[in-house]
């Protein structure tokens, strides 16, 4: 007889629903945590994950994956690649780890929400593996940057960032908390695993892995591709949940959850990933533009997945597609200009050659965003660095907690979408951000963004130095231009003077 | 915005570990102080402060009756991280899979008696539900615990319970092949829901699953329910299995007990840490005293129905002794 094939006993591992007697079903699966939406347990039992795994296979496969990734790291550690890496690439890594490592560990909590509260037994088991996966992603993305703490205090932010009130960390928290930590199990499956992981993290991880390999950072390339291979196993949970919701007349609810989180994810990626792919990655190592990645992974793949499930494109799809030419350029300029308020050194990425590339990938860039960079470049060349640094705070969106941006120069269209709600004036970076708020004002209404806190007197002293202190940023941590303005020709001038 | 003259100097490790004398281990680097929801106890999540989930975490985590000034100081005595957990359990699974394979080759299920296989149908296969309940319970305490080092132990514990579910499902199918008319794979839910031997455990499990306070849920699962289940399933039942020639169950349950012992090691360390704070001891003893009678009843109901067992006397004694070694019982 020998060993059973996993297909013989797999179904029994997920035949685990029973009818409670000593407590009620509603007590055991509170709606606020479970989100069954009146759909009975039997209907949830039709949940069938397409990608199946057993405990034995899991520990064997994952042991191998870690052995591979950790040995690449160990083998390359002494080569000290990072000391000779392009400063833009170093910033890429610092931004990536700070925004994601601790949040990935946190995502295990969202998986645990499903592991306990999902009414679908298959979902509960897959979420148990998902819980382990996210723990891995948190731990490995802390272990890898840790070797660099001796190089600069900015590396400390791989652990520290999410524990601070630094604005980008706050924006990331607002989004992650909304998507996965404060939602019921069914919403987590849809928002986290379907809209976010299936929709966006492919983009982040494949895009970055491709650029890492090009940039010669094989440690990071292997890390990120290894993490990516875990995604499909737990990102699959949303699909079957969506099918059950749709089959039980809840399509509109499902659609709304996707629409809200898709937009929120887009905004976060527009500040986190967009600038990295189009400005920080050294020109010669760029595989594709951010927009091209978005077109391939979102417009190509995610759009098809939505259609296959019988869902619609979000109502704002045209606006989303339009903003692929705009938002991340605005976010990049915002981050670079307010560079002392982040924990990495933003790379301007606007040397003449890079501007040619930008113009090619985004026709019209030079006459819009390029106009602002013209002024910045000129000021730097005239020795007026002070004019390239901020003296005030930008207007911050009350939904995405990111600066309100739009197209600059000849295409000027920047607009603050305002809303008065219960006597308070809210600001939004787009019509969609405002719409997200209006879908569920009670989730968001009492939250204060950084500017709200500044104006309320919570940040003291009430100036930029006080704001930096509030954000946990000290000299040695605060950002400056990654290439020390060499792109503006300043390094060359200095050399000539010597 | 001119920078202060002296920038912060780089450190050899994370700033939150820099004051320690000892060099940080991999465990320290990847596991400590990760729950950012603990940064502001009044507003765990970066949304409206009155959001239901903010209230849930305030009430059931931050305002829990079990107190410590810094739960993040907790350390798993086994120092497991994801990487080492898989190394450990891959080895353990290789052993268990080897058992399955070899006992199958030897025709084990053809050599044990039909009576014993019927006993397995009633007393072993339905444990799938119980183990899955433990898996759910650990996943809950994990999402509510106040420190990442505690949470990580619970993630592994939940995964170990899934491991037991999987072993149980595997054996259920195998036994069904040996005796196809005993309802293996189909009858377990009804047995779990209705048969008297399971009702004590079912009641305790169901009531434990609706304890929302993190520390009370920890007490019920880790100090009462789990040890009771383990003493019965890997103790009492394994002894009877051995007497009935079921060496495979005996070895399997010993392998599962390795996980259980690890769970007890970290739970004991957490209790030890809690006992350094005044007031915790009385509360812990009170909660253990309140819940343990249900566990004693569960053990008795199971073992009294089990032919050839001691009625659960030894299992109960071991459970109470475990609580005694923690200082939570006289």
């Amino acid at each position: 007889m020998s060993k059973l094939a996993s297909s013989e006993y797999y179904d029994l591992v997920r035949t685990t629903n029973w009818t409670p007697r000593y407590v009620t079903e509603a007590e055991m699966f509170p709606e606020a945590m479970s989100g069954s939406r009146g759909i009975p347990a039997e209907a949830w039992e039709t949940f069938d994950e397409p990608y199946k795994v057993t405990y034995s296979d899991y520990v064997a496969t994952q042991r191998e994956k870690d052995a591979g990734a950790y040995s690449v790291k160990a083998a390359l550690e002494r080569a000290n690649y990072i000391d000779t890496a392009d400063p833009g690439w170093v910033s890429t890594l610092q931004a990536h780890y700070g925004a994601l490592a601790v949040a990935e560990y946190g995502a295990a909590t969202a998986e645990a929400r499903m592991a306990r509260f999902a009414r679908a037994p298959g979902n509960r088991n897959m979420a148990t593996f998902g819980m382990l996966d996210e723990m891995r992603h948190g731990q490995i993305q802390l272990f890898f940057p840790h070797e660099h703490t001796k190089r600069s205090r900015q590396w400390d932010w791989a652990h520290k960032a999410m524990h601070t009130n630094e604005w980008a960390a706050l924006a990331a928290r607002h989004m992650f908390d909304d998507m996965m930590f404060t939602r019921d199990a069914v919403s987590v499956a849809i928002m986290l695993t379907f809209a976010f992981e299936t929709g966006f993290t492919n983009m982040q991880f494949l895009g970055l892995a491709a650029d890492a390999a090009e940039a010669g950072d094989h440690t990071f390339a292997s890390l990120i591709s290894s993490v990516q291979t875990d995604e499909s196993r737990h990102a699959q949970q949303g699909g079957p949940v969506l099918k059950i919701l749709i089959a039980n007349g809840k399509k509109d609810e499902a659609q709304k959850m996707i629409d809200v989180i898709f937009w929120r994810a887009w905004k976060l990626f527009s500040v986190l990933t967009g600038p990295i792919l189009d400005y920080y990655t050294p020109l010669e190592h760029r595989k594709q533009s951010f927009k091209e990645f978005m077109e391939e992974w979102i417009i190509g793949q995610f759009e098809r997945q939505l259609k296959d499930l019988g869902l619609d494109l979000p109502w704002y799809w045209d606006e989303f597609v339009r903003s692929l030419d705009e938002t991340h350029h605005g976010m990049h300029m915002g981050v670079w200009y307010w560079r002392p308020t982040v924990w990495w050194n933003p790379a301007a990425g606007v040397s003449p050659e890079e501007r040619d590339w930008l113009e090619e990938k985004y026709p019209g860039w030079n006459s819009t965003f390029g106009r602002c960079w013209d002024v910045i470049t000129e000021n730097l060349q005239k020795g007026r660095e002070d004019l390239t640094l901020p003296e005030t705070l930008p207007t911050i969106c009350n939904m995405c907690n990111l600066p309100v941006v739009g197209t600059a120069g000849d295409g000027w269209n920047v607009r603050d979408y305002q809303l008065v709600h219960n006597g308070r004036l809210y600001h939004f970076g787009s019509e969609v951000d405002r719409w997200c708020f209006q879908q569920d004002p009670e989730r968001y209404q009492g939250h204060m963004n950084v500017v709200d806190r500044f104006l309320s007197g919570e940040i003291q002293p009430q100036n930029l130095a006080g704001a930096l202190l509030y954000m946990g940023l000290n000299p040695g941590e605060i950002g400056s231009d990654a290439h020390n303005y060499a792109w503006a020709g300043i390094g060359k001038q200095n050399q000539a003077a010597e | 915005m001119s920078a202060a003259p002296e920038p912060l100097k780089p450190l050899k490790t994370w700033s939150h570990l820099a004051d320690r004398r000892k060099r940080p281990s991999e465990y320290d680097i990847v596991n400590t102080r990760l729950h950012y929801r603990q940064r502001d106890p009044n507003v765990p999540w970066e949304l409206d402060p009155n959001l239901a989930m903010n209230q849930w975490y305030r009430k059931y985590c931050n305002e829990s009756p079990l107190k410590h000034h810094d739960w993040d100081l907790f350390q798993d005595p086994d120092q497991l991280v994801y990487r080492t957990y898989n190394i450990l359990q891959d080895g353990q699974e290789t052993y268990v899979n080897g058992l399955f394979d070899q006992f199958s080759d030897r025709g084990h299920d053809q050599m044990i008696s039909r009576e014993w296989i019927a006993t397995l149908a009633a007393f072993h296969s339905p444990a799938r539900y119980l183990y899955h309940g433990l898996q759910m319970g650990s996943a809950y305490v994990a999402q509510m615990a106040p420190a990442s080092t505690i949470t990580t132990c619970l993630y592994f514990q939940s995964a170990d319970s899934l491991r037991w579910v999987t072993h149980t499902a595997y054996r259920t199918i195998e036994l069904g092949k040996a005796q196809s008319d005993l309802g293996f794979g189909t009858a377990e839910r009804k047995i779990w829901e209705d048969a008297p031997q399971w009702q004590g455990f079912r009641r305790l499990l169901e009531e434990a699953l609706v304890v929302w306070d993190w520390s009370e849920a920890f007490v019920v699962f880790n100090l009462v329910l789990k040890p009771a289940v383990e003493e019965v399933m890997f103790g009492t039942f394994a002894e009877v299995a051995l007497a009935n020639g079921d060496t495979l169950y005996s070895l399997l349950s010993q392998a599962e007990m390795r996980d259980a012992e690890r769970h007890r090691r970290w739970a004991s360390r957490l209790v030890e840490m809690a006992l350094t704070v005044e007031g915790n001891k009385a509360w812990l003893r009170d909660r253990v005293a309140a819940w343990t009678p249900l566990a004693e009843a569960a053990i008795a109901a199971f073992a009294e129905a089990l032919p050839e067992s001691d009625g659960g006397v030894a299992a109960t004694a071991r459970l109470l002794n475990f609580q005694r070694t923690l200082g939570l019982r006289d």
Side-chain angles (χ1 to χ4, degrees):
Chain A
M1 274 177 67
S2 281
K3 281 224 65 194
L4 298 177
S6 59
S7 57
E8 293 184 82
Y9 62 92
Y10 189 89
D11 276 337
L12 216 50
V13 179
R14 53 182 185 165
T15 306
T16 50
N17 266 358
W18 77 92
T19 309
R21 177 190 297 161
Y22 303 96
V23 301
T24 66
E25 186 158 330
E27 286 173 292
M28 200 154 123
F29 293 95
E31 185 60 20
M33 301 299 261
S34 178
S36 318
R37 290 167 173 75
I39 299 170
E42 296 72 43
W44 287 112
E45 285 162 19
T46 64
F47 177 105
D48 184 22
E49 64 278 13
Y51 179 165
K52 298 178 171 58
V53 67
T54 64
Y55 183 88
S56 264
D57 291 343
Y58 184 88
V59 292
T61 310
Q62 298 302 110
R63 174 190 183 157
E64 285 298 315
K65 278 191 202 169
D66 271 351
Y70 281 77
S71 61
V72 169
K73 176 188 189 293
L76 295 177
E77 195 161 338
R78 283 172 194 281
N80 291 324
Y81 161 83
I82 210 76
D83 293 330
T84 55
D86 185 276
W89 185 250
V90 173
S91 302
T92 292
L93 299 180
Q94 290 170 340
H96 172 89
Y97 286 126
L100 290 178
V102 169
E104 291 241 45
Y105 178 84
T109 282
E111 295 286 339
R113 180 87 22 93
M114 295 187 283
R116 165 61 183 87
F117 293 105
R119 287 306 275 119
N123 195 355
R124 294 199 295 271
N125 285 352
M126 290 318 298
T128 304
F129 293 125
M131 208 163 73
L132 296 180
D133 287 344
E134 299 295 7
M135 181 179 9
R136 173 182 193 233
H137 299 173
Q139 294 190 339
I140 198 169
Q141 290 181 90
L142 286 163
F143 192 70
F144 276 51
H146 183 267
E147 73 172 79
H148 303 314
T149 57
K150 59 179 190 250
R151 292 186 159 89
S152 144
R153 220 27 199 269
Q154 288 173 320
W155 288 102
D156 187 39
W157 283 64
H159 185 284
K160 175 180 171 178
M162 291 302 277
H163 300 283
T164 70
N165 283 317
E166 194 280 335
W167 66 270
L170 196 151
R173 270 205 306 275
H174 190 280
M175 154 64 185
F176 292 143
D177 293 0
D178 191 17
M179 169 177 69
M180 62 181 170
F181 296 126
T182 61
R183 300 278 181 172
D184 62 70
V186 166
S187 305
V188 169
I190 293 172
M191 291 178 153
L192 168 64
T193 78
F194 182 76
F196 186 71
E197 290 178 334
T198 308
F200 280 90
T201 52
N202 276 328
M203 223 283 305
Q204 170 83 356
F205 284 95
L206 294 170
L208 272 185
D211 284 7
E214 282 286 316
D217 189 347
H218 301 293
T219 306
F220 190 69
S222 105
L223 164 76
I224 214 90
S225 351
S226 181
V227 164
Q228 170 62 22
T229 60
D230 297 336
E231 287 296 308
S232 49
R233 184 173 47 229
H234 59 255
Q236 63 165 337
Q237 294 171 97
V241 166
L242 282 166
K243 282 184 195 159
I244 293 167
L245 284 179
I246 293 166
N248 287 273
K250 307 280 180 195
K251 183 188 157 182
D252 291 351
E253 264 187 74
Q255 182 76 48
K256 197 164 90 178
M257 285 191 266
I258 291 168
D259 292 0
V260 167
I261 287 305
F262 182 88
W263 184 262
R264 300 218 54 190
W266 153 236
K267 291 300 285 278
L268 191 61
F269 275 73
S270 78
V271 72
L272 201 61
T273 314
I276 282 175
L277 295 187
D278 282 355
Y279 295 91
Y280 295 15
T281 302
L283 185 57
E284 63 273 24
H285 299 321
R286 288 179 205 164
K287 291 280 278 185
Q288 281 175 303
S289 70
F290 178 58
K291 183 184 173 185
E292 285 162 349
F293 264 112
M294 292 295 287
E295 283 172 343
E296 179 173 345
W297 290 97
I298 309 290
I299 303 194
Q301 309 227 12
F302 188 63
E303 192 180 302
R304 201 156 50 238
Q305 276 173 301
L306 279 175
K307 284 178 183 160
D308 288 348
L309 281 161
L311 290 157
D312 302 320
L313 296 177
W315 60 269
Y316 50 74
W317 199 252
D318 292 345
E319 168 58 15
F320 161 68
V321 172
R322 188 199 66 79
S323 67
L324 291 176
D325 280 318
E326 173 181 290
T327 309
H328 73 290
H329 298 301
M331 293 294 177
H332 171 61
M333 198 153 56
V335 171
W336 187 88
Y337 187 69
W338 271 273
R339 56 201 176 281
T341 67
V342 293
W343 65 83
W344 65 92
N345 298 331
V350 289
S351 67
E353 302 75 26
E354 288 167 314
R355 291 181 62 142
D356 289 346
W357 182 86
L358 286 162
E359 185 65 33
E360 181 203 323
K361 298 293 182 184
Y362 303 94
W365 186 93
N366 273 309
S367 64
T368 54
F369 295 98
R371 295 259 191 263
C372 297
W373 287 106
D374 290 342
V375 176
I376 288 170
T377 309
E378 200 184 323
N379 281 325
L380 287 169
Q381 286 167 345
K382 285 181 179 162
R384 295 298 306 271
E385 183 193 17
D386 58 312
L387 294 177
T388 72
L389 287 159
E391 294 184 343
T392 57
L393 298 175
T395 300
I396 298 282
C397 172
N398 281 112
M399 177 53 58
C400 64
N401 284 265
L402 299 172
V404 173
V405 299
T407 296
D410 294 352
W412 184 267
N413 68 356
V414 183
R415 187 181 152 193
D416 174 12
Y417 293 78
Q418 300 186 345
L419 176 73
V420 176
H421 171 79
N422 288 345
R424 179 177 158 194
L425 175 64
Y426 295 83
H427 304 270
F428 297 99
S430 70
E431 189 189 347
V432 191
D433 284 287
R434 184 169 63 187
W435 174 84
C436 292
F437 182 94
Q438 288 170 316
Q439 298 316 296
D440 203 351
E442 291 182 352
R443 289 191 73 80
Y444 311 110
Q445 59 191 9
H447 183 263
M448 308 269 274
N449 68 28
V450 170
V451 172
D452 296 329
R453 293 175 199 189
F454 191 80
L455 296 175
S456 75
E458 193 184 330
I459 298 173
Q460 294 294 339
Q462 209 165 354
N463 55 33
L464 275 162
L468 288 179
L469 207 63
Y470 179 78
M471 292 191 277
L473 284 158
N474 303 289
E477 298 174 307
I478 65 178
S480 57
D481 182 72
H483 298 94
N484 208 15
Y485 308 129
W487 52 272
I490 292 176
K492 287 176 204 155
Q493 282 178 347
N494 288 349
Q495 273 175 353
E498 281 165 22
Chain B
M1 302 211 29
S2 58
E6 279 198 52
L8 293 180
K9 289 192 177 65
L11 300 167
K12 285 181 187 158
T13 182
W14 303 135
S15 50
H16 80 92
L17 296 172
D19 291 342
R20 295 194 188 180
R21 243 177 300 167
K22 115 180 183 329
R23 184 190 171 92
S25 62
E26 178 182 358
Y27 177 83
D28 298 321
I29 292 165
V30 305
N31 235 348
T32 48
R33 291 188 195 278
L34 300 179
H35 282 336
Y36 69 68
R37 61 174 150 87
Q38 296 305 112
R39 47 184 284 285
D40 180 352
N42 295 314
V43 191
W45 306 112
E46 194 74 61
L47 292 161
D48 186 287
N50 296 316
L51 190 69
M53 202 66 82
N54 268 325
Q55 295 179 30
W56 189 286
Y57 274 84
R58 267 201 300 271
K59 186 171 172 190
Y60 297 125
C61 179
N62 301 341
E63 293 164 10
S64 173
L66 196 71
K67 303 288 182 198
H68 197 280
H69 75 282
D70 190 0
W71 286 115
D72 280 302
L73 297 174
F74 175 77
Q75 297 254 308
D76 172 8
D78 284 66
Q79 301 268 305
L80 278 186
V81 297
Y82 181 86
R83 189 178 68 81
T84 52
Y85 175 81
N86 286 315
I87 293 170
L88 174 73
Q89 295 298 62
D90 184 34
Q92 293 298 307
E93 281 293 284
T94 302
Y95 168 68
V96 166
N97 288 328
L99 292 179
F100 287 158
D101 203 0
Q102 290 160 24
F103 276 78
S104 168
D105 283 347
R106 261 185 254 164
H108 171 78
D109 293 345
Q110 285 70 47
M111 294 189 284
I112 51 178
S113 71
R114 180 174 161 87
E115 291 69 30
W116 175 246
I117 293 181
T119 305
L120 288 169
F123 289 83
H124 170 51
S125 291
R128 181 172 92 237
Y129 289 93
L130 182 54
Y131 297 156
H132 182 68
L134 300 179
Q135 179 189 342
M136 290 165 71
S138 301
Y140 178 71
V141 188
Q143 68 193 276
M144 298 307 296
S148 51
T149 41
I150 302 172
T151 291
T152 295
C153 289
L154 286 152
Y155 287 151
F156 294 140
Q157 182 174 300
S158 181
D160 292 336
S161 300
L162 173 57
R163 178 177 185 233
W164 304 348
V165 172
T166 309
H167 293 164
T168 308
Y170 186 99
R171 282 297 290 148
T172 299
I173 295 295
E174 264 194 344
L175 290 161
K177 291 189 175 200
Q179 300 285 344
S180 57
D181 59 338
L182 293 177
F184 279 105
T186 54
E188 287 87 15
R189 178 168 175 170
K190 192 164 167 42
I191 298 171
W192 164 247
E193 289 183 354
D194 295 332
Q197 67 266 29
W198 291 107
Q199 298 317 302
F201 280 123
R202 178 146 97 98
R203 176 179 169 192
L204 180 50
L205 173 64
E206 290 180 7
E207 292 185 2
L209 283 170
V210 302
V211 173
W212 304 125
D213 176 77
W214 87 268
S215 51
E216 181 153 0
F218 161 74
V219 169
V220 188
F221 276 97
N222 276 78
L223 309 184
V224 180
L225 172 57
K226 263 174 42 63
V229 170
E230 292 148 10
E231 293 303 345
V232 165
M233 296 308 300
F234 310 148
T236 309
F237 190 71
E239 286 159 24
V240 180
L242 203 54
N244 281 276
D246 192 351
T247 317
L248 175 56
Y249 182 81
S250 172
L251 292 173
L252 175 63
S253 67
Q254 283 173 35
E256 292 171 339
M257 192 64 190
R258 296 291 86 77
D259 296 341
E261 285 160 356
R262 174 159 41 79
H263 307 157
R264 292 189 198 184
R265 279 196 295 278
W266 80 258
S268 303
R269 180 65 62 87
L270 186 62
V271 169
E272 203 177 291
M273 178 179 175
L275 289 181
T276 61
V277 177
E278 208 180 346
N280 282 344
K281 186 164 189 171
W283 184 82
L284 283 167
R285 288 175 72 103
D286 177 71
R287 292 296 82 205
V288 166
W291 285 98
T292 303
L294 285 176
E296 292 178 271
I299 293 172
F302 186 90
E304 280 164 14
L306 178 66
E308 303 169 55
S309 87
D310 68 349
V313 176
T316 303
R318 288 191 298 261
L319 167 66
L320 301 184
N321 192 49
F322 170 61
Q323 296 174 345
R324 213 171 279 125
T325 60
L326 300 175
L328 300 181
R329 167 177 300 281
D330 293 324

